Amino acid sequence: LAGPCSKRSLLHSSSGMRYKLLQEGDIQVCVVKHPRTFLSKIFTSKYLRRWEPHHLTLTDSSLVSATPTGYMEAPLSYSTIEDLQLLSWDNAPKYCVQLSIPGGTVLLQAANSYLRDQWFHSIQWKKKIYKYRKVLNNPSRWDVVLKEIRALVDMALTSPLQDESIHQAPLHIISTLLAENTNLSAQDHENIIVAIAPLLENNHPPPDLCEFFCKHCRERPRSMVVIEVFTPVVQRILKHNMDFGKCPRLRLFTQEYILALNELNAGMEVVKKFIHSMHGPTGQCPHPRVLPNLVAVCLAAIYSCYEEFINSRDNSPSLKEIRNGCQQQSERKPPMPLRLLRPEPPTPPPTTTLSPPPALPLSPPPSIVNSSEILVELERNNNTTNTLHKAPAEGDREPNLIDCLLVSPALNALSIQLPAHADRVLGCFALILKMLSDYDDWRPALASLLQPIPFPKEELKYVIQRFAEDPRQEVHSCLLSVRSGKDGWFQLYSPGGVACDDDGELFASMVHILMGSCYKTKKFLLSLAENKLGPCMLLALRGNQTMVEILCLMLEYNIIENKDTQLQIISTLESTQVGLRMYEQLCDRQRELKELQRKGGPTRLTLPSKSTDADLARLLSSGSFGNLENLSLAFTNVTSACAEQLIKLPSLKQLNLWSTQFGDAGLRLLSEHLACLQVLNLCETPVTDAGLLSLSSMKSLCSLNMNSTKLTADTYEDLKVRG
């Protein structure tokens, strides 16, 4: 090598460049042993030709060779590296890093300048992190510790290395420091939080640091640090977290932060502003993870209110134990013994002919469960018209989370006396779910997320009411049960249901929205007649118009086959003015229907173009159409509403709806009532996959035209298989 050796500074050689932190790699190594004062004299080609290839690994404490031979027989500890510099030669460039050690120098030669700089910054980072870890593991004076923390944070922010561990390593060092030193003053807490705040702008806090933040929120909820430092951290968690299950302390920190906001003077108004800031000012929230994360936090907080009671009945680790790191079975306390008292169920009162069947008690009978902090009184009464379930033997069934959440103060279905703090927590997060339900774009996903969860508080009942008022099918369809045998809100809030405390008002709202949507079908009415006929008759007896309409439809569609039940329904309808009026209208329609279906009239009929639903209804009311087999409504303005008239034609076999506005709701009605239909033309109609799939139940259908519709390939194949 000819020419003198020159040194380059870090800032000059890597200005604007970013590097990935190296953990291992191949490099040429040369070790020169020399007195320190003669270093400049021995950089000659004679010494620098002795290079050995090594595969080096950068551990937390040293440089280790994969083949410990030659120069790298032993690991090179970071503590022995006195200086670290970049080297190059003018005439014959060698991309080297110089490591000064006691009694010599280690030269690392890379293939190019970028790789050399990457080695340089990686070793420098490991060396400094090693130093800070040693310094902060044995703190003596907290003013010095705070100074070192600020220097560590500044180093992480200014490092040219671009790697996730660059910010995570300092956070883990600081969280370890805080975990080992729990007797810090409140001022020390705030100083450390402010010092590490810049690192949290783009990184989640590690678990131990989350516990430190939780403690600060609990002890000093009115501290300005909560608003100024924790707010952006929690916002980032809610926007970007994908799974709280991997780090439950992130969820606990978010929960404690919200409770701290609730402790401010404005209370829930501050929480409401925070929720609004997470949603954003527009009608659509731009962050899809915000809602699921908020719901997860709320449900976990509600669960924690009943945590001690629930964990006294099973052996799963509690949230508090998870937070404290107690996962071993040996560390957990044995379950608390509970005393179950089962009094005799009350004798049901006598019933009359017009009243629904008496409420039958479901298992388990009323119970009282005592523990050290919670008194739980369980009393289960439900109304069923078909089956009396046998109660399990003593001790067979134990209260679970669903039992705890089914709070119905008016009926004392479940009354739980919680500590004052737990009651405040429950009220706070119940109100947050209420706030979430007020955002139109969040309501469909919220209904889906909360679908299997029964609710305790009045605020949460408000959430279900919002779902029952929403006209969108994806929202109010979640009122029904998730799967067969699993009660949904529709069942829980029916009169006599375990959560009903309003005489069936919410239940009537649910039925109204479901009947007004795509659920106005025989299947839904059959389900009501089979499972909820008693509640429907009770509400109709009290003058509820929706239930009166339901009973009339059951009679009109011949849902009820039992003559005695039909007479009871008629008596119920005639007992109120609104019921009597609607029953008389039903009788008028039935007389018109008999006249319409009387044999005679044309076998083929074509309506003029531009005809409307009203025109079709007027035409069919003018005579007998019992022989009508072929009806063409092509190029008219009829909609799905005309299906109410079409299902009255008993002999209809061919129906042409080409270029009309007939949609999915009409198809569902046709599929249940026109069993003899053989030919159906839906060309250029607004029907979709949802409506077309309902046609699979029409076994007589042999010709179906779906040209120029929104039919997808998957639905087409599905229809072919079912057909």
Side-chain angles (χ1 to χ4, degrees), residues 228-463:
E228 295 178 357
V229 178
F230 289 167
T231 297
V233 178
V234 173
Q235 287 177 335
R236 187 182 188 279
I237 291 172
L238 291 175
K239 290 177 181 178
H240 301 289
N241 176 70
M242 297 302 294
D243 185 6
F244 277 130
K246 295 180 179 178
C247 188
R249 287 186 177 89
L250 284 178
R251 185 184 61 213
L252 285 169
F253 168 48
T254 306
Q255 176 182 329
E256 294 291 348
Y257 166 78
I258 293 175
L259 291 174
L261 294 185
N262 193 34
E263 292 294 324
L264 299 178
N265 291 336
M268 288 306 297
E269 284 299 319
V270 181
V271 177
K272 185 175 182 179
K273 290 180 180 179
F274 173 74
I275 298 298
H276 182 72
S277 70
M278 295 308 306
H279 179 275
T282 62
Q284 190 76 23
C285 178
H287 303 286
R289 291 300 308 167
V290 168
L291 178 65
N293 287 333
L294 279 173
V295 172
V297 170
C298 291
L299 293 181
I302 293 173
Y303 181 98
S304 68
C305 295
Y306 306 96
E307 174 187 18
E308 182 171 337
F309 166 66
I310 297 166
N311 284 282
S312 70
R313 305 306 301 153
D314 60 45
N315 213 23
S316 60
S318 66
L319 296 179
K320 187 181 295 183
E321 289 171 329
I322 293 174
R323 183 178 62 194
N324 294 335
C326 175
Q327 298 288 348
Q328 299 299 324
Q329 182 67 27
S330 59
E331 300 179 30
R332 303 193 63 242
K333 297 180 181 179
M336 296 183 186
L338 299 182
R339 179 170 56 89
L340 300 181
L341 303 178
R342 302 185 183 273
E344 293 297 326
T347 304
T351 59
T352 62
T353 305
L354 299 180
S355 301
L360 299 176
L362 284 182
S363 60
S367 309
I368 296 179
V369 184
N370 290 312
S371 67
S372 61
E373 295 184 9
I374 305 174
L375 173 63
V376 180
E377 297 178 357
L378 297 172
E379 182 179 344
R380 289 297 184 85
N381 279 323
N382 203 345
N383 184 29
T384 139
T385 57
N386 298 322
T387 310
L388 174 60
H389 297 277
K390 183 179 180 181
E394 174 74 22
D396 285 352
R397 186 184 183 280
E398 296 178 345
N400 54 23
L401 173 61
I402 302 302
D403 294 325
C404 292
L405 293 182
L406 283 172
V407 176
S408 182
L411 295 180
N412 287 326
L414 181 67
S415 179
I416 299 182
Q417 295 179 358
L418 294 173
H421 173 71
D423 195 58
R424 287 197 301 272
V425 172
L426 182 62
C428 173
F429 288 97
L431 280 172
I432 291 177
L433 288 176
K434 178 180 177 181
M435 295 174 194
L436 299 180
S437 69
D438 287 331
Y439 290 94
D440 290 340
D441 61 313
W442 274 352
R443 205 173 298 131
L446 180 64
S448 178
L449 289 169
L450 299 181
Q451 188 173 9
I453 306 296
F455 286 98
K457 287 278 189 174
E458 183 65 27
E459 293 83 358
L460 295 174
K461 184 179 177 183
Y462 169 88
V463 176

Side-chain angles (χ1 to χ4, degrees), residues 539-544 548 570-582:
L539 292 174
L541 193 63
R542 295 172 179 174
N544 185 281
V548 169
I570 293 172
S571 299
T572 302
L573 292 173
E574 292 177 340
S575 63
T576 62
Q577 290 185 354
V578 61
L580 180 60
R581 185 180 69 253
M582 296 187 72

Side-chain angles (χ1 to χ4, degrees), residues 473 476 513-521 665 668:
Q473 177 189 347
H476 58 246
I513 192 67
L514 292 171
M515 287 298 296
S517 179
C518 60
Y519 290 95
K520 195 171 184 179
T521 62
R668 293 190 182 94

Side-chain angles (χ1 to χ4, degrees), residues 548-698:
V548 169
E549 181 184 354
I550 291 293
L551 296 183
C552 289
L553 286 173
M554 288 181 180
L555 294 175
E556 185 173 3
Y557 292 159
N558 295 319
I559 300 296
I560 306 297
E561 297 180 356
N562 186 279
K563 296 297 182 182
D564 291 336
T565 306
Q566 291 179 2
L567 292 175
Q568 186 176 352
I569 291 177
I570 293 172
S571 299
T572 302
L573 292 173
E574 292 177 340
S575 63
T576 62
Q577 290 185 354
V578 61
L580 180 60
R581 185 180 69 253
M582 296 187 72
Y583 179 64
E584 290 175 350
Q585 294 173 356
L586 170 61
C587 292
D588 293 339
R589 290 199 303 272
Q590 291 292 339
R591 284 191 290 268
E592 294 174 359
L593 180 61
K594 288 182 179 179
E595 177 63 24
L596 171 67
Q597 295 180 345
R598 190 163 52 87
K599 292 299 180 179
T603 58
R604 301 176 61 91
L605 181 64
T606 300
L607 253 67
S609 61
K610 308 303 181 183
S611 297
T612 63
D613 297 331
D615 296 328
L616 176 62
R618 193 176 300 113
L619 176 63
L620 294 180
S621 64
S622 63
S624 300
F625 292 91
N627 292 340
L628 187 61
E629 296 181 356
N630 189 319
L631 176 62
S632 176
L633 303 176
F635 305 104
T636 63
N637 294 331
V638 297
T639 66
S640 294
C642 76
E644 295 282 355
Q645 306 297 326
L646 298 178
I647 62 175
K648 299 175 182 178
L649 302 172
S651 303
L652 191 61
K653 296 180 180 179
Q654 299 181 33
L655 179 61
N656 187 354
L657 295 169
W658 189 2
S659 190
T660 64
Q661 295 302 310
F662 198 87
D664 293 342
L667 282 184
R668 293 190 182 94
L669 205 55
L670 296 184
S671 65
E672 291 198 345
H673 293 272
L674 294 183
C676 298
L677 195 64
Q678 298 176 359
V679 179
L680 179 60
N681 187 351
L682 297 173
C683 180
E684 298 181 15
T685 58
V687 294
T688 64
D689 290 348
L692 291 169
L693 282 174
S694 65
L695 299 179
S696 58
S697 62
M698 303 180 71

